[in-house]
Amino acid sequence: KGLNYLDQRVILNFLNRDRIIDSNKLAIDIQNGMLKEIRKKYFVKNGGVRPATFWVLVGSQMPAILIEMGYLTNPVEAKRLFNSDYQKRIARGIVKGIEEYFKKNR
């Protein structure tokens, strides 16, 4: 609690150093899978993959990522997020990304 932001980042990076590269690879593969699947029907921007460490992921024993699907404050994205076809495309894209990650990293 008493650590400043920079000290927190240093500690998190140290604790997660072995997982950061694998997590980034996983995130890239999942993002690519999602974009390919969603773009078959919808226009979406590529928000990129941004490496970051989060307390919630500290200590994970495997690659770990957080997926941001859109913003409820954006009217177009909010409508899509509640659309079952869009949700299925997201899910299929995540699965394809995970499969691709395992193909590359056995």
PDB file of all heavy atoms in Angstrom, residues 43-81:
ATOM      1  N   PHE A  43     -16.674  -3.478 -38.631  1.00  0.00           N
ATOM      2  CA  PHE A  43     -15.458  -2.673 -38.660  1.00  0.00           C
ATOM      3  C   PHE A  43     -15.062  -2.386 -37.215  1.00  0.00           C
ATOM      4  O   PHE A  43     -15.866  -1.881 -36.435  1.00  0.00           O
ATOM      5  CB  PHE A  43     -15.674  -1.347 -39.399  1.00  0.00           C
ATOM      6  CG  PHE A  43     -14.502  -0.420 -39.231  1.00  0.00           C
ATOM      7  CD1 PHE A  43     -13.358  -0.606 -39.987  1.00  0.00           C
ATOM      8  CD2 PHE A  43     -14.541   0.612 -38.314  1.00  0.00           C
ATOM      9  CE1 PHE A  43     -12.268   0.225 -39.830  1.00  0.00           C
ATOM     10  CE2 PHE A  43     -13.459   1.450 -38.151  1.00  0.00           C
ATOM     11  CZ  PHE A  43     -12.322   1.255 -38.910  1.00  0.00           C
ATOM     12  N   VAL A  44     -13.832  -2.744 -36.870  1.00  0.00           N
ATOM     13  CA  VAL A  44     -13.305  -2.407 -35.549  1.00  0.00           C
ATOM     14  C   VAL A  44     -11.880  -1.909 -35.708  1.00  0.00           C
ATOM     15  O   VAL A  44     -11.148  -2.350 -36.596  1.00  0.00           O
ATOM     16  CB  VAL A  44     -13.327  -3.612 -34.568  1.00  0.00           C
ATOM     17  CG1 VAL A  44     -14.739  -3.985 -34.186  1.00  0.00           C
ATOM     18  CG2 VAL A  44     -12.596  -4.806 -35.140  1.00  0.00           C
ATOM     19  N   LYS A  45     -11.504  -0.988 -34.857  1.00  0.00           N
ATOM     20  CA  LYS A  45     -10.138  -0.473 -34.862  1.00  0.00           C
ATOM     21  C   LYS A  45      -9.236  -1.427 -34.096  1.00  0.00           C
ATOM     22  O   LYS A  45      -9.666  -2.112 -33.178  1.00  0.00           O
ATOM     23  CB  LYS A  45     -10.097   0.904 -34.195  1.00  0.00           C
ATOM     24  CG  LYS A  45     -10.796   1.981 -34.987  1.00  0.00           C
ATOM     25  CD  LYS A  45     -10.662   3.316 -34.287  1.00  0.00           C
ATOM     26  CE  LYS A  45     -11.407   4.398 -35.051  1.00  0.00           C
ATOM     27  NZ  LYS A  45     -11.308   5.698 -34.379  1.00  0.00           N
ATOM     28  N   ASN A  46      -7.990  -1.431 -34.483  1.00  0.00           N
ATOM     29  CA  ASN A  46      -6.982  -2.216 -33.787  1.00  0.00           C
ATOM     30  C   ASN A  46      -6.407  -1.339 -32.689  1.00  0.00           C
ATOM     31  O   ASN A  46      -5.651  -0.420 -32.955  1.00  0.00           O
ATOM     32  CB  ASN A  46      -5.896  -2.655 -34.774  1.00  0.00           C
ATOM     33  CG  ASN A  46      -4.823  -3.484 -34.122  1.00  0.00           C
ATOM     34  OD1 ASN A  46      -4.704  -3.553 -32.906  1.00  0.00           O
ATOM     35  ND2 ASN A  46      -4.023  -4.124 -34.947  1.00  0.00           N
ATOM     36  N   GLY A  47      -6.764  -1.646 -31.452  1.00  0.00           N
ATOM     37  CA  GLY A  47      -6.277  -0.862 -30.320  1.00  0.00           C
ATOM     38  C   GLY A  47      -4.877  -1.250 -29.880  1.00  0.00           C
ATOM     39  O   GLY A  47      -4.308  -0.618 -29.000  1.00  0.00           O
ATOM     40  N   GLY A  48      -4.334  -2.287 -30.492  1.00  0.00           N
ATOM     41  CA  GLY A  48      -2.987  -2.718 -30.161  1.00  0.00           C
ATOM     42  C   GLY A  48      -2.933  -3.548 -28.890  1.00  0.00           C
ATOM     43  O   GLY A  48      -3.908  -3.676 -28.171  1.00  0.00           O
ATOM     44  N   VAL A  49      -1.781  -4.100 -28.658  1.00  0.00           N
ATOM     45  CA  VAL A  49      -1.501  -4.836 -27.429  1.00  0.00           C
ATOM     46  C   VAL A  49      -0.547  -3.973 -26.620  1.00  0.00           C
ATOM     47  O   VAL A  49       0.488  -3.546 -27.121  1.00  0.00           O
ATOM     48  CB  VAL A  49      -0.862  -6.206 -27.736  1.00  0.00           C
ATOM     49  CG1 VAL A  49      -0.357  -6.869 -26.464  1.00  0.00           C
ATOM     50  CG2 VAL A  49      -1.858  -7.107 -28.447  1.00  0.00           C
ATOM     51  N   ARG A  50      -0.922  -3.728 -25.389  1.00  0.00           N
ATOM     52  CA  ARG A  50      -0.077  -2.901 -24.528  1.00  0.00           C
ATOM     53  C   ARG A  50       0.366  -3.714 -23.326  1.00  0.00           C
ATOM     54  O   ARG A  50      -0.465  -4.157 -22.534  1.00  0.00           O
ATOM     55  CB  ARG A  50      -0.863  -1.679 -24.057  1.00  0.00           C
ATOM     56  CG  ARG A  50      -1.221  -0.775 -25.194  1.00  0.00           C
ATOM     57  CD  ARG A  50      -1.932   0.473 -24.701  1.00  0.00           C
ATOM     58  NE  ARG A  50      -2.636   1.063 -25.810  1.00  0.00           N
ATOM     59  CZ  ARG A  50      -3.946   1.046 -25.969  1.00  0.00           C
ATOM     60  NH1 ARG A  50      -4.700   0.471 -25.059  1.00  0.00           N
ATOM     61  NH2 ARG A  50      -4.515   1.591 -27.013  1.00  0.00           N
ATOM     62  N   PRO A  51       1.657  -3.922 -23.192  1.00  0.00           N
ATOM     63  CA  PRO A  51       2.126  -4.661 -22.024  1.00  0.00           C
ATOM     64  C   PRO A  51       1.941  -3.834 -20.762  1.00  0.00           C
ATOM     65  O   PRO A  51       2.169  -2.628 -20.760  1.00  0.00           O
ATOM     66  CB  PRO A  51       3.603  -4.900 -22.308  1.00  0.00           C
ATOM     67  CG  PRO A  51       3.990  -3.870 -23.300  1.00  0.00           C
ATOM     68  CD  PRO A  51       2.760  -3.518 -24.069  1.00  0.00           C
ATOM     69  N   ALA A  52       1.476  -4.477 -19.739  1.00  0.00           N
ATOM     70  CA  ALA A  52       1.314  -3.831 -18.440  1.00  0.00           C
ATOM     71  C   ALA A  52       1.250  -4.925 -17.384  1.00  0.00           C
ATOM     72  O   ALA A  52       0.929  -6.068 -17.678  1.00  0.00           O
ATOM     73  CB  ALA A  52       0.030  -2.997 -18.409  1.00  0.00           C
ATOM     74  N   THR A  53       1.595  -4.560 -16.184  1.00  0.00           N
ATOM     75  CA  THR A  53       1.488  -5.516 -15.087  1.00  0.00           C
ATOM     76  C   THR A  53       0.338  -5.087 -14.192  1.00  0.00           C
ATOM     77  O   THR A  53       0.156  -3.913 -13.907  1.00  0.00           O
ATOM     78  CB  THR A  53       2.802  -5.572 -14.285  1.00  0.00           C
ATOM     79  OG1 THR A  53       3.225  -4.245 -13.993  1.00  0.00           O
ATOM     80  CG2 THR A  53       3.878  -6.266 -15.074  1.00  0.00           C
ATOM     81  N   PHE A  54      -0.438  -6.051 -13.777  1.00  0.00           N
ATOM     82  CA  PHE A  54      -1.596  -5.793 -12.928  1.00  0.00           C
ATOM     83  C   PHE A  54      -1.500  -6.662 -11.680  1.00  0.00           C
ATOM     84  O   PHE A  54      -1.156  -7.842 -11.771  1.00  0.00           O
ATOM     85  CB  PHE A  54      -2.898  -6.122 -13.679  1.00  0.00           C
ATOM     86  CG  PHE A  54      -3.119  -5.254 -14.878  1.00  0.00           C
ATOM     87  CD1 PHE A  54      -2.744  -5.685 -16.142  1.00  0.00           C
ATOM     88  CD2 PHE A  54      -3.703  -4.006 -14.741  1.00  0.00           C
ATOM     89  CE1 PHE A  54      -2.944  -4.888 -17.249  1.00  0.00           C
ATOM     90  CE2 PHE A  54      -3.905  -3.196 -15.850  1.00  0.00           C
ATOM     91  CZ  PHE A  54      -3.528  -3.634 -17.106  1.00  0.00           C
ATOM     92  N   TRP A  55      -1.841  -6.092 -10.551  1.00  0.00           N
ATOM     93  CA  TRP A  55      -1.786  -6.845  -9.300  1.00  0.00           C
ATOM     94  C   TRP A  55      -2.620  -8.115  -9.396  1.00  0.00           C
ATOM     95  O   TRP A  55      -2.255  -9.152  -8.851  1.00  0.00           O
ATOM     96  CB  TRP A  55      -2.273  -5.992  -8.132  1.00  0.00           C
ATOM     97  CG  TRP A  55      -1.279  -4.971  -7.692  1.00  0.00           C
ATOM     98  CD1 TRP A  55      -1.375  -3.616  -7.841  1.00  0.00           C
ATOM     99  CD2 TRP A  55      -0.018  -5.199  -7.053  1.00  0.00           C
ATOM    100  NE1 TRP A  55      -0.255  -3.003  -7.339  1.00  0.00           N
ATOM    101  CE2 TRP A  55       0.591  -3.948  -6.845  1.00  0.00           C
ATOM    102  CE3 TRP A  55       0.656  -6.348  -6.645  1.00  0.00           C
ATOM    103  CZ2 TRP A  55       1.839  -3.814  -6.243  1.00  0.00           C
ATOM    104  CZ3 TRP A  55       1.897  -6.214  -6.028  1.00  0.00           C
ATOM    105  CH2 TRP A  55       2.471  -4.953  -5.836  1.00  0.00           C
ATOM    106  N   VAL A  56      -3.734  -8.064 -10.087  1.00  0.00           N
ATOM    107  CA  VAL A  56      -4.623  -9.221 -10.177  1.00  0.00           C
ATOM    108  C   VAL A  56      -3.958 -10.398 -10.889  1.00  0.00           C
ATOM    109  O   VAL A  56      -4.346 -11.548 -10.703  1.00  0.00           O
ATOM    110  CB  VAL A  56      -5.956  -8.828 -10.851  1.00  0.00           C
ATOM    111  CG1 VAL A  56      -5.769  -8.531 -12.333  1.00  0.00           C
ATOM    112  CG2 VAL A  56      -7.008  -9.892 -10.670  1.00  0.00           C
ATOM    113  N   LEU A  57      -2.939 -10.139 -11.693  1.00  0.00           N
ATOM    114  CA  LEU A  57      -2.259 -11.200 -12.430  1.00  0.00           C
ATOM    115  C   LEU A  57      -0.944 -11.646 -11.785  1.00  0.00           C
ATOM    116  O   LEU A  57      -0.323 -12.597 -12.237  1.00  0.00           O
ATOM    117  CB  LEU A  57      -1.984 -10.744 -13.868  1.00  0.00           C
ATOM    118  CG  LEU A  57      -3.207 -10.361 -14.701  1.00  0.00           C
ATOM    119  CD1 LEU A  57      -2.781  -9.880 -16.075  1.00  0.00           C
ATOM    120  CD2 LEU A  57      -4.186 -11.508 -14.801  1.00  0.00           C
ATOM    121  N   VAL A  58      -0.538 -10.962 -10.709  1.00  0.00           N
ATOM    122  CA  VAL A  58       0.719 -11.305 -10.049  1.00  0.00           C
ATOM    123  C   VAL A  58       0.640 -12.726  -9.498  1.00  0.00           C
ATOM    124  O   VAL A  58      -0.355 -13.135  -8.921  1.00  0.00           O
ATOM    125  CB  VAL A  58       1.023 -10.313  -8.908  1.00  0.00           C
ATOM    126  CG1 VAL A  58       2.188 -10.807  -8.058  1.00  0.00           C
ATOM    127  CG2 VAL A  58       1.337  -8.945  -9.478  1.00  0.00           C
ATOM    128  N   GLY A  59       1.709 -13.456  -9.694  1.00  0.00           N
ATOM    129  CA  GLY A  59       1.789 -14.803  -9.154  1.00  0.00           C
ATOM    130  C   GLY A  59       1.153 -15.865 -10.026  1.00  0.00           C
ATOM    131  O   GLY A  59       1.147 -17.039  -9.658  1.00  0.00           O
ATOM    132  N   SER A  60       0.635 -15.491 -11.183  1.00  0.00           N
ATOM    133  CA  SER A  60       0.059 -16.511 -12.060  1.00  0.00           C
ATOM    134  C   SER A  60       1.163 -17.452 -12.501  1.00  0.00           C
ATOM    135  O   SER A  60       2.307 -17.066 -12.666  1.00  0.00           O
ATOM    136  CB  SER A  60      -0.628 -15.871 -13.265  1.00  0.00           C
ATOM    137  OG  SER A  60       0.327 -15.258 -14.096  1.00  0.00           O
ATOM    138  N   GLN A  61       0.819 -18.698 -12.690  1.00  0.00           N
ATOM    139  CA  GLN A  61       1.792 -19.709 -13.072  1.00  0.00           C
ATOM    140  C   GLN A  61       1.785 -19.957 -14.579  1.00  0.00           C
ATOM    141  O   GLN A  61       2.406 -20.900 -15.051  1.00  0.00           O
ATOM    142  CB  GLN A  61       1.487 -21.015 -12.329  1.00  0.00           C
ATOM    143  CG  GLN A  61       1.570 -20.881 -10.828  1.00  0.00           C
ATOM    144  CD  GLN A  61       2.964 -20.476 -10.373  1.00  0.00           C
ATOM    145  OE1 GLN A  61       3.944 -21.088 -10.765  1.00  0.00           O
ATOM    146  NE2 GLN A  61       3.052 -19.426  -9.581  1.00  0.00           N
ATOM    147  N   MET A  62       1.054 -19.146 -15.317  1.00  0.00           N
ATOM    148  CA  MET A  62       0.942 -19.306 -16.757  1.00  0.00           C
ATOM    149  C   MET A  62       0.793 -17.914 -17.374  1.00  0.00           C
ATOM    150  O   MET A  62       0.577 -16.951 -16.654  1.00  0.00           O
ATOM    151  CB  MET A  62      -0.277 -20.169 -17.102  1.00  0.00           C
ATOM    152  CG  MET A  62      -1.634 -19.500 -16.923  1.00  0.00           C
ATOM    153  SD  MET A  62      -2.147 -19.139 -15.230  1.00  0.00           S
ATOM    154  CE  MET A  62      -2.444 -20.720 -14.587  1.00  0.00           C
ATOM    155  N   PRO A  63       0.925 -17.814 -18.683  1.00  0.00           N
ATOM    156  CA  PRO A  63       0.678 -16.508 -19.313  1.00  0.00           C
ATOM    157  C   PRO A  63      -0.716 -16.014 -18.947  1.00  0.00           C
ATOM    158  O   PRO A  63      -1.670 -16.795 -18.892  1.00  0.00           O
ATOM    159  CB  PRO A  63       0.779 -16.807 -20.807  1.00  0.00           C
ATOM    160  CG  PRO A  63       1.588 -18.047 -20.905  1.00  0.00           C
ATOM    161  CD  PRO A  63       1.274 -18.843 -19.663  1.00  0.00           C
ATOM    162  N   ALA A  64      -0.821 -14.737 -18.667  1.00  0.00           N
ATOM    163  CA  ALA A  64      -2.102 -14.170 -18.246  1.00  0.00           C
ATOM    164  C   ALA A  64      -2.301 -12.827 -18.928  1.00  0.00           C
ATOM    165  O   ALA A  64      -1.371 -12.034 -19.040  1.00  0.00           O
ATOM    166  CB  ALA A  64      -2.120 -14.010 -16.728  1.00  0.00           C
ATOM    167  N   ILE A  65      -3.512 -12.601 -19.392  1.00  0.00           N
ATOM    168  CA  ILE A  65      -3.834 -11.340 -20.072  1.00  0.00           C
ATOM    169  C   ILE A  65      -5.199 -10.851 -19.622  1.00  0.00           C
ATOM    170  O   ILE A  65      -6.001 -11.615 -19.099  1.00  0.00           O
ATOM    171  CB  ILE A  65      -3.808 -11.487 -21.606  1.00  0.00           C
ATOM    172  CG1 ILE A  65      -4.921 -12.419 -22.088  1.00  0.00           C
ATOM    173  CG2 ILE A  65      -2.449 -11.970 -22.071  1.00  0.00           C
ATOM    174  CD1 ILE A  65      -5.104 -12.424 -23.594  1.00  0.00           C
ATOM    175  N   LEU A  66      -5.451  -9.595 -19.851  1.00  0.00           N
ATOM    176  CA  LEU A  66      -6.774  -9.004 -19.691  1.00  0.00           C
ATOM    177  C   LEU A  66      -7.223  -8.580 -21.075  1.00  0.00           C
ATOM    178  O   LEU A  66      -6.451  -8.001 -21.838  1.00  0.00           O
ATOM    179  CB  LEU A  66      -6.740  -7.798 -18.752  1.00  0.00           C
ATOM    180  CG  LEU A  66      -6.338  -8.083 -17.310  1.00  0.00           C
ATOM    181  CD1 LEU A  66      -6.234  -6.777 -16.529  1.00  0.00           C
ATOM    182  CD2 LEU A  66      -7.316  -9.022 -16.651  1.00  0.00           C
ATOM    183  N   ILE A  67      -8.469  -8.862 -21.405  1.00  0.00           N
ATOM    184  CA  ILE A  67      -9.003  -8.521 -22.724  1.00  0.00           C
ATOM    185  C   ILE A  67     -10.013  -7.393 -22.567  1.00  0.00           C
ATOM    186  O   ILE A  67     -10.959  -7.513 -21.805  1.00  0.00           O
ATOM    187  CB  ILE A  67      -9.676  -9.739 -23.387  1.00  0.00           C
ATOM    188  CG1 ILE A  67      -8.668 -10.859 -23.589  1.00  0.00           C
ATOM    189  CG2 ILE A  67     -10.311  -9.339 -24.717  1.00  0.00           C
ATOM    190  CD1 ILE A  67      -9.273 -12.153 -24.084  1.00  0.00           C
ATOM    191  N   GLU A  68      -9.777  -6.319 -23.291  1.00  0.00           N
ATOM    192  CA  GLU A  68     -10.703  -5.190 -23.304  1.00  0.00           C
ATOM    193  C   GLU A  68     -11.452  -5.239 -24.623  1.00  0.00           C
ATOM    194  O   GLU A  68     -10.858  -5.092 -25.682  1.00  0.00           O
ATOM    195  CB  GLU A  68      -9.903  -3.898 -23.166  1.00  0.00           C
ATOM    196  CG  GLU A  68     -10.718  -2.708 -22.793  1.00  0.00           C
ATOM    197  CD  GLU A  68      -9.817  -1.550 -22.417  1.00  0.00           C
ATOM    198  OE1 GLU A  68      -9.128  -1.031 -23.331  1.00  0.00           O
ATOM    199  OE2 GLU A  68      -9.779  -1.184 -21.242  1.00  0.00           O
ATOM    200  N   MET A  69     -12.735  -5.478 -24.547  1.00  0.00           N
ATOM    201  CA  MET A  69     -13.542  -5.718 -25.751  1.00  0.00           C
ATOM    202  C   MET A  69     -14.156  -4.460 -26.348  1.00  0.00           C
ATOM    203  O   MET A  69     -14.574  -4.452 -27.485  1.00  0.00           O
ATOM    204  CB  MET A  69     -14.687  -6.678 -25.410  1.00  0.00           C
ATOM    205  CG  MET A  69     -14.225  -7.991 -24.819  1.00  0.00           C
ATOM    206  SD  MET A  69     -12.935  -8.790 -25.744  1.00  0.00           S
ATOM    207  CE  MET A  69     -13.577  -8.745 -27.362  1.00  0.00           C
ATOM    208  N   GLY A  70     -14.279  -3.444 -25.563  1.00  0.00           N
ATOM    209  CA  GLY A  70     -14.910  -2.225 -26.028  1.00  0.00           C
ATOM    210  C   GLY A  70     -15.316  -1.390 -24.829  1.00  0.00           C
ATOM    211  O   GLY A  70     -15.030  -1.745 -23.683  1.00  0.00           O
ATOM    212  N   TYR A  71     -16.004  -0.315 -25.096  1.00  0.00           N
ATOM    213  CA  TYR A  71     -16.376   0.619 -24.043  1.00  0.00           C
ATOM    214  C   TYR A  71     -17.891   0.814 -24.037  1.00  0.00           C
ATOM    215  O   TYR A  71     -18.496   1.112 -25.069  1.00  0.00           O
ATOM    216  CB  TYR A  71     -15.687   1.969 -24.260  1.00  0.00           C
ATOM    217  CG  TYR A  71     -14.186   1.844 -24.293  1.00  0.00           C
ATOM    218  CD1 TYR A  71     -13.510   1.742 -25.507  1.00  0.00           C
ATOM    219  CD2 TYR A  71     -13.454   1.793 -23.119  1.00  0.00           C
ATOM    220  CE1 TYR A  71     -12.128   1.610 -25.537  1.00  0.00           C
ATOM    221  CE2 TYR A  71     -12.083   1.658 -23.137  1.00  0.00           C
ATOM    222  CZ  TYR A  71     -11.415   1.572 -24.348  1.00  0.00           C
ATOM    223  OH  TYR A  71     -10.057   1.438 -24.381  1.00  0.00           O
ATOM    224  N   LEU A  72     -18.474   0.639 -22.882  1.00  0.00           N
ATOM    225  CA  LEU A  72     -19.916   0.848 -22.751  1.00  0.00           C
ATOM    226  C   LEU A  72     -20.286   2.315 -22.950  1.00  0.00           C
ATOM    227  O   LEU A  72     -21.431   2.626 -23.248  1.00  0.00           O
ATOM    228  CB  LEU A  72     -20.408   0.352 -21.391  1.00  0.00           C
ATOM    229  CG  LEU A  72     -20.317  -1.160 -21.197  1.00  0.00           C
ATOM    230  CD1 LEU A  72     -20.715  -1.528 -19.769  1.00  0.00           C
ATOM    231  CD2 LEU A  72     -21.185  -1.893 -22.196  1.00  0.00           C
ATOM    232  N   THR A  73     -19.327   3.213 -22.785  1.00  0.00           N
ATOM    233  CA  THR A  73     -19.592   4.634 -22.992  1.00  0.00           C
ATOM    234  C   THR A  73     -19.624   5.007 -24.473  1.00  0.00           C
ATOM    235  O   THR A  73     -20.036   6.105 -24.821  1.00  0.00           O
ATOM    236  CB  THR A  73     -18.526   5.488 -22.277  1.00  0.00           C
ATOM    237  OG1 THR A  73     -17.232   5.064 -22.702  1.00  0.00           O
ATOM    238  CG2 THR A  73     -18.646   5.337 -20.759  1.00  0.00           C
ATOM    239  N   ASN A  74     -19.180   4.102 -25.339  1.00  0.00           N
ATOM    240  CA  ASN A  74     -19.242   4.317 -26.780  1.00  0.00           C
ATOM    241  C   ASN A  74     -20.531   3.673 -27.278  1.00  0.00           C
ATOM    242  O   ASN A  74     -20.691   2.461 -27.181  1.00  0.00           O
ATOM    243  CB  ASN A  74     -18.026   3.677 -27.454  1.00  0.00           C
ATOM    244  CG  ASN A  74     -18.026   3.853 -28.954  1.00  0.00           C
ATOM    245  OD1 ASN A  74     -18.996   3.502 -29.629  1.00  0.00           O
ATOM    246  ND2 ASN A  74     -16.933   4.364 -29.471  1.00  0.00           N
ATOM    247  N   PRO A  75     -21.468   4.453 -27.815  1.00  0.00           N
ATOM    248  CA  PRO A  75     -22.774   3.906 -28.201  1.00  0.00           C
ATOM    249  C   PRO A  75     -22.708   2.753 -29.201  1.00  0.00           C
ATOM    250  O   PRO A  75     -23.449   1.785 -29.076  1.00  0.00           O
ATOM    251  CB  PRO A  75     -23.516   5.105 -28.807  1.00  0.00           C
ATOM    252  CG  PRO A  75     -22.761   6.308 -28.404  1.00  0.00           C
ATOM    253  CD  PRO A  75     -21.374   5.890 -28.068  1.00  0.00           C
ATOM    254  N   VAL A  76     -21.813   2.830 -30.172  1.00  0.00           N
ATOM    255  CA  VAL A  76     -21.700   1.758 -31.166  1.00  0.00           C
ATOM    256  C   VAL A  76     -21.152   0.493 -30.510  1.00  0.00           C
ATOM    257  O   VAL A  76     -21.686  -0.604 -30.690  1.00  0.00           O
ATOM    258  CB  VAL A  76     -20.804   2.194 -32.358  1.00  0.00           C
ATOM    259  CG1 VAL A  76     -20.545   1.037 -33.304  1.00  0.00           C
ATOM    260  CG2 VAL A  76     -21.441   3.360 -33.098  1.00  0.00           C
ATOM    261  N   GLU A  77     -20.085   0.649 -29.738  1.00  0.00           N
ATOM    262  CA  GLU A  77     -19.495  -0.510 -29.080  1.00  0.00           C
ATOM    263  C   GLU A  77     -20.442  -1.110 -28.055  1.00  0.00           C
ATOM    264  O   GLU A  77     -20.537  -2.345 -27.935  1.00  0.00           O
ATOM    265  CB  GLU A  77     -18.170  -0.127 -28.417  1.00  0.00           C
ATOM    266  CG  GLU A  77     -17.076   0.185 -29.423  1.00  0.00           C
ATOM    267  CD  GLU A  77     -15.777   0.627 -28.770  1.00  0.00           C
ATOM    268  OE1 GLU A  77     -15.701   0.700 -27.520  1.00  0.00           O
ATOM    269  OE2 GLU A  77     -14.825   0.890 -29.516  1.00  0.00           O
ATOM    270  N   ALA A  78     -21.134  -0.288 -27.318  1.00  0.00           N
ATOM    271  CA  ALA A  78     -22.073  -0.787 -26.306  1.00  0.00           C
ATOM    272  C   ALA A  78     -23.154  -1.648 -26.952  1.00  0.00           C
ATOM    273  O   ALA A  78     -23.474  -2.737 -26.457  1.00  0.00           O
ATOM    274  CB  ALA A  78     -22.695   0.376 -25.545  1.00  0.00           C
ATOM    275  N   LYS A  79     -23.685  -1.187 -28.067  1.00  0.00           N
ATOM    276  CA  LYS A  79     -24.718  -1.958 -28.763  1.00  0.00           C
ATOM    277  C   LYS A  79     -24.160  -3.303 -29.231  1.00  0.00           C
ATOM    278  O   LYS A  79     -24.811  -4.344 -29.081  1.00  0.00           O
ATOM    279  CB  LYS A  79     -25.252  -1.149 -29.953  1.00  0.00           C
ATOM    280  CG  LYS A  79     -26.406  -1.789 -30.663  1.00  0.00           C
ATOM    281  CD  LYS A  79     -26.937  -0.884 -31.765  1.00  0.00           C
ATOM    282  CE  LYS A  79     -28.083  -1.563 -32.497  1.00  0.00           C
ATOM    283  NZ  LYS A  79     -28.631  -0.722 -33.567  1.00  0.00           N
ATOM    284  N   ARG A  80     -22.966  -3.281 -29.775  1.00  0.00           N
ATOM    285  CA  ARG A  80     -22.351  -4.523 -30.245  1.00  0.00           C
ATOM    286  C   ARG A  80     -22.080  -5.493 -29.095  1.00  0.00           C
ATOM    287  O   ARG A  80     -22.245  -6.694 -29.252  1.00  0.00           O
ATOM    288  CB  ARG A  80     -21.035  -4.228 -30.972  1.00  0.00           C
ATOM    289  CG  ARG A  80     -21.231  -3.609 -32.320  1.00  0.00           C
ATOM    290  CD  ARG A  80     -19.895  -3.349 -32.959  1.00  0.00           C
ATOM    291  NE  ARG A  80     -20.047  -2.731 -34.264  1.00  0.00           N
ATOM    292  CZ  ARG A  80     -19.042  -2.239 -34.959  1.00  0.00           C
ATOM    293  NH1 ARG A  80     -17.814  -2.299 -34.489  1.00  0.00           N
ATOM    294  NH2 ARG A  80     -19.251  -1.681 -36.127  1.00  0.00           N
ATOM    295  N   LEU A  81     -21.621  -4.981 -27.981  1.00  0.00           N
ATOM    296  CA  LEU A  81     -21.275  -5.849 -26.858  1.00  0.00           C
ATOM    297  C   LEU A  81     -22.471  -6.637 -26.331  1.00  0.00           C
ATOM    298  O   LEU A  81     -22.299  -7.697 -25.732  1.00  0.00           O
ATOM    299  CB  LEU A  81     -20.639  -5.029 -25.722  1.00  0.00           C
ATOM    300  CG  LEU A  81     -19.233  -4.506 -26.028  1.00  0.00           C
ATOM    301  CD1 LEU A  81     -18.787  -3.518 -24.970  1.00  0.00           C
ATOM    302  CD2 LEU A  81     -18.242  -5.653 -26.150  1.00  0.00           C
TER     303      LEU A  81
END
